[in-house]
Amino acid sequence: MPNRWDNPRTLFQLDDWKSLWRLYRTYSKEAGWPVELRKQEAFAQMIEIWSAAAWLGDGQVEVAIRQPGAHPMGYAALTTAFSEHPELGHAMEIGTYLAPSARGTGLNQTLKQHAWNAAKHGFRADWLIAAIPVANQRAARAYAKLPFPHLVYTGEKTSPWYQYWRRRQFAAGTPIALYITPLHD
C-alpha cells in the first residue's frame, strides 16, 4: 500500500522541544493523547528523558510540523529499550502520537518508517518495539498496516522478551502487547 503522506509542506524536525510543548498544549486533553502524559508534570518529565536520551545519543524525537504556521501534527519518539540483552542484542522502543486531523493520512506510517530507519541504521539496533495497550485497537491496527514484518508478544514466560514486557506493562499500568519488528537481515 503506497504511503499517502506526500505533503511537501510538512517538515520533520528532530528533537524540537518547543514544537512538542505546542503539541502538548493543543492536544493533551484529546482522547488519543497518551494517558500517562496527560499531566503537565509527566510530560515535562518525559521531555527531560527524551532530551537526555538525544544528548547521550540513545534516542531521538521526530516532530511532524505542517507549514506555513509551524503547526505540529505528531511525533515519533525513539528511545533505547535495552542495549545489550544476552539473547536479543539491542532494541529501540517507539512511541507515537498523531493529531486527529493527521490520522488516516499516512503520516503515522511515515513517522514509523523514519524511526525504523533511524533505529536500524543510525542506532544499529536489532529490534524496534512498540508497547501498545491491549485496549488501544486503533494503534494496534496502525502498527499492523506497516510495511515491515513484526510479531506480537503478550507475555509468555519462556520468552526472552518476558522481563521487558513485564516491566513495560507495570510502567503502563494496563495490559500491553509488544509489537516487535526485527531490524537485522
Side-chain angles (χ1 to χ4, degrees):
M1 177 175 168
N3 186 339
R4 296 180 298 150
W5 190 263
D6 55 5
N7 187 339
R9 294 175 12 177
T10 301
L11 298 175
F12 295 93
Q13 297 283 116
L14 287 180
D15 307 327
D16 183 346
W17 315 121
K18 183 178 177 181
S19 291
L20 281 168
W21 274 110
R22 187 169 178 205
L23 195 70
Y24 172 83
R25 285 189 301 276
T26 305
Y27 297 108
S28 63
K29 302 220 181 327
E30 190 268 323
W33 186 263
V35 174
E36 68 277 9
L37 299 179
R38 287 195 190 274
K39 292 185 178 178
Q40 185 172 344
E41 299 81 18
F43 191 71
Q45 184 178 20
M46 186 55 69
I47 292 285
E48 286 181 26
I49 291 168
W50 289 339
S51 178
W55 186 79
L56 292 168
D58 290 336
Q60 68 181 37
V61 180
E62 186 169 32
V63 184
I65 304 170
R66 184 183 297 152
Q67 299 292 330
H71 183 71
M73 300 301 300
Y75 69 80
L78 191 61
T79 55
T80 297
F82 49 81
S83 58
E84 295 183 23
H85 189 285
E87 294 177 64
L88 299 171
H90 178 206
M92 302 292 294
E93 185 171 330
I94 183 173
T96 59
Y97 171 79
L98 292 179
S101 63
R103 295 177 189 151
T105 65
L107 180 57
N108 181 56
Q109 182 176 350
T110 299
L111 283 168
K112 283 189 170 88
Q113 285 178 325
H114 288 193
W116 180 92
N117 189 50
K120 181 173 182 165
H121 300 294
F123 294 101
R124 303 209 182 280
D126 300 301
W127 307 94
L128 180 63
I129 305 168
I132 300 175
V134 172
N136 191 342
Q137 292 300 309
R138 182 177 45 102
R141 284 190 306 272
Y143 205 90
K145 289 180 185 177
L146 295 174
F148 30 82
H150 66 277
L151 62 99
V152 180
Y153 175 78
T154 56
E156 297 76 30
K157 287 186 177 183
T158 58
S159 171
W161 292 103
Y162 179 73
Q163 290 300 322
Y164 187 74
W165 169 84
R166 188 172 157 196
R167 185 174 48 149
R168 289 298 291 119
Q169 184 159 279
F170 177 78
T174 188
I176 65 156
L178 296 180
Y179 287 70
I180 303 167
T181 300
L183 300 176
H184 41 74
D185 297 326

